[in-house]
Amino acid sequence: MLTIGQFSKKTGVTIRTLRYYDEKGLLKPTYVSPSGRRYYEDDNMVTLQKILTFKFLGYPLEDIQSMLATSDLNLHKSLVRQKQEMLIKKAQIEKTIATLENAITLSENQEEIHTDVFLSIIHDLIHSDEQHTYFKTLLPEDLVDELEQLYKENIIDYTKHHMETTLKLKEAYRMQLPDEEVLLIVEEMLSIVPEHLLTRIIEATKQIDEGTEIDESLFHMPFTKEEEQWLERIMKKSILGGNNDE
């Protein structure tokens, strides 16, 4: 028999990991001495190889434990299911990498980054697919699809423009600029959207029930509550709202 240290050296698995596998019931030593020393044999090596193989394939330890304990395991079915789960994780990783690349590009040449605004932008990048689906419940699908395509083709330019104009609005609130100047910033923010699409958006939003609540989990607002209330009041004079002041 091999001591845990010898078994660790032979298999390349750390002593700490072997102890953890023992505690979890995944890999019990062949013998434990009265003093608590663990000893392993060749049968333990076979079990460990199974654990490491399943672990490499991405199975969580809980699933591996069940698989080792099941004599009639449908391995093919399990592998197919595991492949699907790994493909989902792959898509998530690829999206994370793409988001990081966009975030790095957006942060380049920025002397100072406003954390709230930047995190709001990143949040939108992460949840863009969910936002796309959500908007289809409020606006015509073809309009949402066209906006999404336009956004994806110009994602960096659009996002930079949104970030810059958002910062201008926050500064306008801090300076308490006249409403007319704020409206100019709002118009600048909207100017990046082609006029024909902006007109369709305005018409479509008029059809939305006033009592409709926005799914806040999908949208991270870069403004404080005070800034939102201030902007909401001024927006009633803008292209999106009408001409009446409060």
Side-chain angles (χ1 to χ4, degrees):
M1 289 192 292
L2 301 173
T3 65
I4 190 171
Q6 293 169 330
F7 190 70
S8 170
K9 186 175 181 179
K10 186 173 183 178
T11 61
V13 178
T14 65
I15 293 175
R16 181 179 180 181
T17 298
L18 292 172
R19 287 173 176 163
Y20 182 72
Y21 287 169
D22 181 12
E23 293 170 3
K24 290 295 182 180
L26 279 167
L27 181 65
K28 289 291 185 181
T30 301
Y31 172 71
V32 179
S33 71
S35 62
R37 296 192 67 181
R38 298 172 174 85
Y39 292 88
Y40 296 83
E41 290 185 337
D42 290 340
D43 287 346
N44 297 122
M45 182 80 70
V46 174
T47 302
L48 179 60
Q49 288 173 345
K50 290 179 181 179
I51 293 171
L52 296 178
T53 299
F54 284 132
K55 194 168 182 291
F56 174 80
L57 294 174
Y59 287 96
L61 293 182
E62 292 78 8
D63 289 355
I64 294 175
Q65 186 174 28
S66 299
M67 294 166 75
L68 292 175
T70 303
S71 58
D72 58 345
L73 173 67
N74 188 328
L75 186 58
H76 175 75
K77 185 177 180 180
S78 176
L79 290 172
V80 170
R81 183 174 65 251
Q82 182 63 11
K83 178 185 176 183
Q84 294 303 316
E85 292 182 3
M86 295 304 290
L87 286 173
I88 293 173
K89 289 182 180 180
K90 176 186 177 184
Q92 292 173 337
I93 291 172
E94 289 175 345
K95 185 172 183 178
T96 299
I97 292 173
T99 301
L100 284 169
E101 288 176 345
N102 289 329
I104 290 170
T105 301
L106 290 169
S107 62
E108 286 177 346
N109 302 320
Q110 296 287 331
E111 293 183 2
E112 184 176 350
I113 298 177
H114 192 292
T115 303
D116 289 344
V117 174
F118 193 73
L119 289 180
S120 173
I121 296 296
I122 301 305
H123 182 278
D124 286 346
L125 291 172
I126 294 171
H127 295 282
S128 59
D129 291 339
E130 294 94 326
Q131 290 175 353
H132 178 76
T133 301
Y134 176 74
F135 281 132
K136 283 189 174 183
T137 67
L138 302 175
L139 304 172
E141 289 193 10
D142 64 316
L143 173 59
V144 177
D145 287 338
E146 189 172 354
L147 287 167
E148 178 73 5
Q149 184 62 33
L150 189 65
Y151 173 72
K152 287 183 176 180
E153 291 174 355
N154 305 276
I155 186 168
I156 297 300
D157 291 340
Y158 273 44
T159 306
K160 276 187 175 180
H161 178 82
H162 177 66
M163 185 165 61
E164 290 169 358
T165 49
T166 297
L167 288 172
K168 286 183 180 180
L169 285 173
K170 292 181 78 68
E171 179 65 12
Y173 172 78
R174 189 184 71 82
M175 298 291 293
Q176 287 297 298
L177 295 181
D179 291 358
E180 293 74 15
E181 293 186 33
V182 177
L183 289 174
L184 289 176
I185 301 174
V186 172
E187 290 180 5
E188 180 186 353
M189 175 179 279
L190 298 174
S191 67
I192 198 167
V193 181
E195 187 173 349
H196 73 284
L197 287 179
L198 185 58
T199 300
R200 288 194 62 193
I201 293 171
I202 294 169
E203 292 303 316
T205 53
K206 291 178 180 178
Q207 306 303 316
I208 299 176
D209 188 346
E210 290 186 4
T212 300
E213 294 186 3
I214 298 297
D215 186 349
E216 295 184 359
S217 66
L218 292 180
F219 302 93
H220 177 80
M221 295 299 292
F223 300 108
T224 64
K225 287 296 182 182
E226 292 76 14
E227 289 170 339
E228 286 183 24
Q229 293 171 357
W230 165 81
L231 188 57
E232 183 179 355
R233 176 184 66 80
I234 298 176
M235 283 290 285
K236 290 183 178 181
K237 297 180 179 178
S238 76
I239 191 172
L240 291 179
N243 299 317
N244 296 325
D245 196 0
E246 288 188 340

